[in-house]
Amino acid sequence: MTPGQYILVVDDDDDFREALSEVLLEAGYPVQGAENGEVALKRVADEAPGIVLLDLKMPVLDGWGVMERMRGDAKSSAVPILILSAYGFEWEAELLGAQGYIPKSVGMDEILDRVRKAAGPPPLRH
């Protein structure tokens, strides 16, 4: 992730999305949230994130649709995507070109550790 980029957290579970966003913010990462795939794609079109944390099972547009559209768009095709799921879609995530899979059951500390490995350290605060 380069300075100025943000982490996009896409999940229809408001409580989970807000809790994860808070953990990331406290760790120093700029964060935006999206409650479904359509909102996520609008955010990506406005300003590409440094990394996307993406739930797969969502209403309106699911994570599979988000990945397909992002991978088909030159502006977002190289944005790293980590799948967050409670349903064990690890092989599907890899097949669709995700950089990793994180089961929601591992807890916020483990999710933060995996995000740090994928995104690098948070940008320096001024």
Side-chain angles (χ1 to χ4, degrees):
M1 231 172 75
T2 61
Q5 288 187 311
Y6 66 98
I7 295 175
L8 179 58
V9 179
V10 187
D11 199 304
D12 62 317
D13 181 331
D14 293 338
D15 292 336
F16 181 81
R17 185 181 65 250
E18 290 170 11
L20 179 55
S21 294
E22 185 64 31
V23 166
L24 293 168
L25 284 167
E26 286 177 8
Y29 292 99
V31 178
Q32 290 189 32
E35 62 272 15
N36 63 56
E38 287 293 334
V39 173
L41 291 174
K42 288 177 185 170
R43 297 215 194 297
V44 170
D46 290 343
E47 180 184 359
I51 192 166
V52 176
L53 305 180
L54 180 65
D55 186 22
L56 291 177
K57 294 187 80 165
M58 296 181 291
V60 183
L61 178 64
D62 63 24
W64 290 283
V66 172
M67 286 190 65
E68 183 178 341
R69 289 190 192 175
M70 284 183 66
R71 294 303 179 232
D73 183 322
K75 181 179 175 184
S76 61
S77 63
V79 173
I81 298 173
L82 294 176
I83 299 300
L84 282 168
S85 181
Y87 298 101
F89 293 113
E90 189 167 0
W91 70 269
E92 290 97 333
E94 186 176 320
L95 183 68
L96 290 169
Q99 278 60 44
Y101 170 84
I102 305 171
K104 288 182 178 178
S105 61
V106 298
M108 291 296 175
D109 289 339
E110 178 68 20
I111 293 171
L112 179 58
D113 286 343
R114 293 187 190 196
V115 169
R116 281 184 178 129
K117 288 177 186 168
L124 296 175
R125 295 181 183 180
H126 299 286

